[in-house]
Amino acid sequence: MTLELWAGPECTVNRVGDRFHDQLAASGFAARLQCLDDLASLGIRRMRLPLLWERTEPAPARHDWSWGDQAIARLGALAVEPIVGLLHHGSGPAWTDLLDPAFPQLLAAYAGAVAARYPHVRDWTPVNEPLTTARFGALYGVWHPHRADDASFVRALLNQVQATVLAMRAIRRHQPAAALVQTEDLGFATASPALQYQADFENLRRWLTFDLLGGHVDRAHPLRPYLRDAGASEAELDALCRDPCPPAILGINHYLTSDRHLDDRTWLYPPQRVGGTARQRYADVEAVRVRGPLAGGFAERLRETSCRYGRPVALSEVHLGCAREDQLRWLYQAWRATSSVRAEGHDVRAVTCWASHGSVDWDSLVTRWDGHYEPGLWDGRSSPPRPTALGRLARQLASGEGAIHPVAADAGWWQRGERIAYGPVGRLEAVPATGRPLVIAGATGTLGRAFARACAQRGLSHRPLGRSDMDIADEASVAGALARWRPWAVVNAAGFMRVDAAEQEAAAHWRENVGGPDTLARLCARHGVQLVGFSSDLVFDGFQSRPYVESDRPQPLNAYGRAKQEAERRMLAALPGALVVRTAAFFGLREAHDFIAAGLERLRGGLLWTVACDQVVSPTYLPDLVHAALDLLIDGESGVWHLANEGAVSWAEFAAQAAAAAGLDAGLVRAVPAAALGQRATRPRWSALASERGRIMPTLADALRRYAEHTRGRTEPAAAARAAEGSPTG
């Protein structure tokens, strides 16, 4: 039996207060049956299919089977076996919850109804992660029913376990061969010496879902007294021992936030990281952020679970919300670890790609509605969803064919020194970047420096090259640099950027803005190297009053725009796989000539800021541009993409919004016609950009907020922070 690839969409329906968060709706998965075909195209054998209670039974005994009927029928046609899930981090429909005494019987009744409708389904997960859901809903209080005490936690856990047992009985009345595929997060806790007792307790507690279902919590079990003290009865614990419901497959959902470190030295950590128990206050942080030794993760969880229970195991969720290259590394390392544990003789069945079409607001543990989207194997911000490099890697792993992406084998952020935020505890271990580099042409310029910073943040091996290292308009110089550095891709951040000067310095700007991109494209095509280059909103004439999209016809008004249009044509003619990014009006340059920085400095001094009121643009926050371009490059995207923050404003409106975001007097912004500013090159009156290929850039309002916070020193740009931070899903 070979290692299988499984997959599933992030499908949590959790409740905060009286509001339900529905991931299938938020990601668009529920509205597109084609998503099932997407998953089948990976070569998967099984899919975790959510036929969730909250979505299907909105009122007692009233079922809406429309989506389930279509999904089950389509999977049958695709020859993909479903693993049907009924409750995923939920507390049930609005008319029940995790603490309802009738909860087990109510879920079992729903399970029986589902099995009666789909009696051929063999694999079931009635409740995903009972222990984890009980912790978040009844011990930490962040999800419904918002309790924070041991008695509520134990009751919520037992209700879910008993519901699983009763659900499997109900299912087996219709399908006697039905198998339980039980999932749980088995995060491991480490601690400072004074808190080792708490870590020992949590490391026992993490097994409770499997122990209770397997009938192992007998009177000798070390946590039996804890459960009894928290309200569990001897009768219900004995009943689980007498009539166990052991899983056929033990599914492990492992995330970087799963493993924790507990520390009694509370003064070393931010206040929001400090909590504890009635016995002792302590900090509770991600182990990866404080522990010096590298965490093992996947292999350790698989190995210890297999040894403890002697049953088949699987990685039932593999996903990380982070930059694209780290998503690749997380999946690749999961596959390699699983293969290694299988080679040791453990019965490991599968690796499951999770959050296939993305997830929403898991960076806040779905406690808020911010709309923060994280792509998965597909990016749902395009219509139809756009396959990412992660999807291609999954397909390659399933088939065993094809060379993996050059960045996938390098160290993830969880293996690099910058992972440490509070320590380290113990000797710091880190893995250096050793992969093929990304070459950045124009390394001394504004855009080149921004790319170098982003690559350093993201752990992308890179080589910044100035003109003396690689003159992009000199064929011999480019050929020599490509042969020396053997990059997998080139970012062309070089060029002649002075729009007005281009009207007079024709030879110089044509050499840099046309000859250079043309030479790079021809040489990259010859060497099999990917290329991204940058164009401008100035390729358009501005004679329309809606944002320009990629398919709109360029018709430039000035020399700079004409050169950019010709560069686009030559690049794509020489290298059809090149990525051409049109963008506009950078801000966040960290330089004195940054339009916004210079203007805000005038306002701080009480001076007027004179700005054009009759030219409409889409300003672009430089960190957002750079990170989005890197993601598209890693995804292998080609052709023209528009990357600018969502929004169309005049320069004067932009200045006023920036002043307001910075807490300065917008009344000092003086709006004047562009003709009063002495611009030599003709600008379009309207050159706002939008994308018909995917809405992957944040709004201008969000970008300005982050820019203002960053310039006040409170935070890093969000795009950069997300690149170095992992958020869990599911």
Side-chain angles (χ1 to χ4, degrees):
M1 181 185 297
T2 60
L3 180 63
E4 295 182 1
L5 181 76
W6 299 350
E10 167 50 32
C11 58
T12 294
V13 176
N14 73 302
R15 184 175 170 188
V16 178
D18 291 325
R19 188 170 186 179
F20 287 83
H21 295 234
D22 184 343
Q23 290 287 316
L24 290 174
S27 70
F29 189 94
R32 293 187 293 258
L33 200 63
Q34 177 64 34
C35 291
L36 301 178
D37 295 69
D38 293 343
L39 294 179
S41 73
L42 300 175
I44 64 172
R45 308 282 187 86
R46 304 192 212 189
M47 172 197 170
R48 292 186 63 188
L49 178 70
L51 300 182
L52 299 182
W53 191 12
E54 296 94 337
R55 293 178 56 85
T56 309
E57 191 177 8
R62 289 177 52 194
H63 301 100
D64 179 358
W65 301 110
S66 54
W67 190 82
D69 287 352
Q70 294 180 68
I72 289 287
R74 188 62 193 150
L75 287 183
L78 295 168
V80 174
E81 292 291 329
I83 304 171
V84 169
L86 306 180
L87 195 71
H88 198 101
H89 287 322
S91 54
W95 36 276
T96 187
D97 63 55
L98 295 179
L99 302 181
D100 181 356
F103 181 90
Q105 291 77 21
L106 292 171
L107 180 61
Y110 172 65
V114 179
R117 194 166 186 89
Y118 313 116
H120 65 283
V121 173
R122 294 175 61 92
D123 297 326
W124 298 79
T125 304
V127 181
N128 173 71
E129 295 189 15
L131 178 79
T132 302
T133 302
R135 284 165 50 212
F136 280 89
L139 191 60
Y140 308 151
V142 298
W143 298 338
H144 194 79
H146 301 288
R147 299 292 184 86
D149 59 89
D150 286 332
S152 297
F153 161 72
V154 168
R155 181 48 48 200
L157 172 61
L158 286 172
N159 270 359
Q160 291 176 92
V161 170
Q162 290 163 350
T164 300
V165 173
L166 295 179
M168 290 307 298
R169 289 179 190 167
I171 291 165
R172 285 168 178 155
R173 285 195 286 270
H174 302 279
Q175 171 54 272
L180 172 61
V181 180
Q182 184 57 59
T183 57
E184 192 54 85
D185 186 316
L186 299 176
F188 186 79
T190 58
S192 58
L195 282 161
Q196 190 58 48
Y197 73 92
Q198 183 66 29
D200 292 342
F201 169 76
E202 294 188 13
N203 289 332
L204 280 172
R205 187 184 66 188
R206 66 194 174 118
W207 299 111
L208 275 175
T209 292
F210 296 153
D211 281 359
L212 287 164
L213 286 170
H216 303 307
V217 186
D218 56 21
R219 302 199 178 208
H221 192 283
L223 289 187
R224 179 94 171 206
Y226 164 74
L227 296 173
R228 288 287 292 113
D229 290 344
S233 70
E234 295 285 8
E236 62 185 329
L237 296 176
D238 288 343
L240 289 169
C241 292
R242 284 194 308 271
D243 193 9
C245 185
I249 298 177
L250 302 167
I252 300 166
N253 302 344
H254 179 69
Y255 295 93
L256 278 172
T257 53
S258 299
D259 293 340
R260 314 297 297 181
H261 182 73
L262 314 179
D263 199 331
D264 60 308
R265 300 170 298 170
T266 56
W267 58 89
L268 298 177
Y269 303 90
Q272 63 269 27
R273 297 289 189 165
V274 176
T277 64
R279 175 176 174 178
Q280 188 171 4
R281 285 181 60 76
Y282 54 84
D284 181 339
V285 297
E286 301 94 332
V288 69
R289 291 299 190 185
V290 66
R291 296 280 299 172
L294 290 170
F298 298 116
E300 279 72 5
R301 302 292 86 81
L302 288 167
R303 196 178 289 118
E304 64 182 354
T305 306
S306 173
C307 290
R308 183 179 178 94
Y309 297 104
R311 288 182 170 272
V313 296
L315 288 180
S316 42
E317 291 182 17
V318 176
H319 173 77
L320 206 60
C322 54
R324 187 78 80 248
E325 65 280 353
D326 279 337
Q327 288 187 313
L328 294 173
R329 293 159 182 166
W330 187 247
L331 175 58
Y332 185 54
Q333 290 178 21
W335 188 269
R336 292 185 64 187
T338 304
S339 300
S340 174
V341 174
R342 275 172 59 87
E344 296 170 11
H346 296 278
D347 187 356
V348 186
R349 299 294 177 86
V351 172
T352 308
C353 291
W354 193 243
S356 61
H357 287 71
S359 59
V360 180
D361 289 335
W362 264 100
D363 60 327
S364 65
L365 294 174
V366 279
T367 58
R368 301 193 307 267
W369 285 80
D370 297 332
H372 171 56
Y373 177 80
E374 299 168 357
L377 309 178
W378 282 265
D379 190 331
R381 295 170 296 183
S382 296
S383 183
R386 179 179 62 85
T388 68
L390 191 64
R392 282 188 283 278
L393 175 61
R395 189 176 293 110
Q396 290 172 317
L397 294 175
S399 67
E401 298 175 358
I404 66 165
H405 198 288
V407 304
D410 231 328
W413 72 258
W414 54 94
Q415 299 169 300
R416 304 194 300 268
E418 59 264 34
R419 65 189 173 86
I420 297 296
Y422 312 111
V425 175
R427 183 176 60 85
L428 177 62
E429 297 176 355
V431 178
T434 57
R436 289 172 61 191
L438 176 74
V439 156
I440 302 169
T444 60
T446 295
L447 190 58
R449 290 198 298 274
F451 268 99
R453 286 193 299 269
C455 287
Q457 291 166 350
R458 294 172 59 153
L460 286 168
S461 179
H462 61 288
R463 180 63 58 174
L465 301 181
R467 185 165 182 167
S468 62
D469 305 302
M470 184 175 72
D471 181 346
I472 63 171
D474 184 306
E475 187 164 322
S477 178
V478 173
L482 295 181
R484 178 181 181 187
W485 300 112
R486 297 182 60 253
W488 65 272
V490 172
V491 171
N492 181 19
F496 190 105
M497 305 295 289
R498 293 167 292 144
V499 176
D500 286 330
E503 297 295 317
Q504 294 182 319
E505 301 178 39
H509 97 85
W510 195 265
R511 181 186 190 276
E512 298 301 314
N513 287 353
V514 179
D518 180 28
T519 301
L520 275 176
R522 288 186 290 103
L523 270 293
C524 284
R526 188 180 305 169
H527 287 262
V529 174
Q530 291 176 244
L531 173 65
V532 58
F534 291 86
S535 187
S536 168
D537 60 333
L538 296 181
V539 300
F540 297 113
D541 59 15
F543 293 144
Q544 68 180 34
S545 56
R546 62 161 176 82
Y548 286 91
V549 296
E550 289 87 351
S551 60
D552 284 324
R553 181 184 176 188
Q555 205 158 326
L557 300 178
N558 55 45
Y560 183 86
R562 288 189 289 273
K564 287 295 185 180
Q565 180 188 16
E566 179 63 12
E568 291 179 12
R569 187 192 68 78
R570 293 194 189 187
M571 282 179 64
L572 293 173
L575 181 60
L579 173 63
V580 176
V581 173
R582 289 188 189 135
T583 188
F586 295 163
F587 69 102
L589 309 185
R590 299 189 180 186
E591 297 178 4
H593 63 263
D594 179 344
F595 167 76
I596 290 295
L600 294 180
E601 193 59 34
R602 290 186 63 82
L603 299 187
R604 290 187 186 96
L607 302 176
L608 288 176
W609 183 7
T610 303
V611 194
C613 63
D614 54 356
Q615 293 173 351
V616 175
V617 295
S618 290
T620 307
Y621 187 32
L622 193 56
D624 289 345
L625 168 68
V626 168
H627 287 290
L630 284 172
D631 284 347
L632 292 177
L633 179 62
I634 291 169
D635 284 343
E637 285 293 322
S638 61
V640 176
W641 270 81
H642 286 185
L643 295 183
N645 290 113
E646 289 189 18
V649 294
S650 71
W651 284 100
E653 291 168 333
F654 180 35
Q657 290 176 13
L664 299 172
D665 183 6
L668 292 174
V669 175
R670 178 171 175 252
V672 301
L677 299 178
Q679 296 172 339
R680 182 176 295 117
T682 303
R683 265 79 162 180
R685 65 174 183 80
W686 180 284
S687 61
L689 299 178
S691 178
E692 61 192 356
R693 300 188 67 178
R695 298 180 62 180
I696 66 175
M697 290 287 282
T699 65
L700 176 59
D702 178 69
L704 277 172
R705 175 187 58 78
R706 288 181 283 113
Y707 171 74
E709 290 175 349
H710 178 54
T711 55
R712 286 195 294 267
R714 288 214 304 255
T715 184
E716 283 296 305
R722 288 198 295 271
E725 185 74 54
S727 65
T729 295

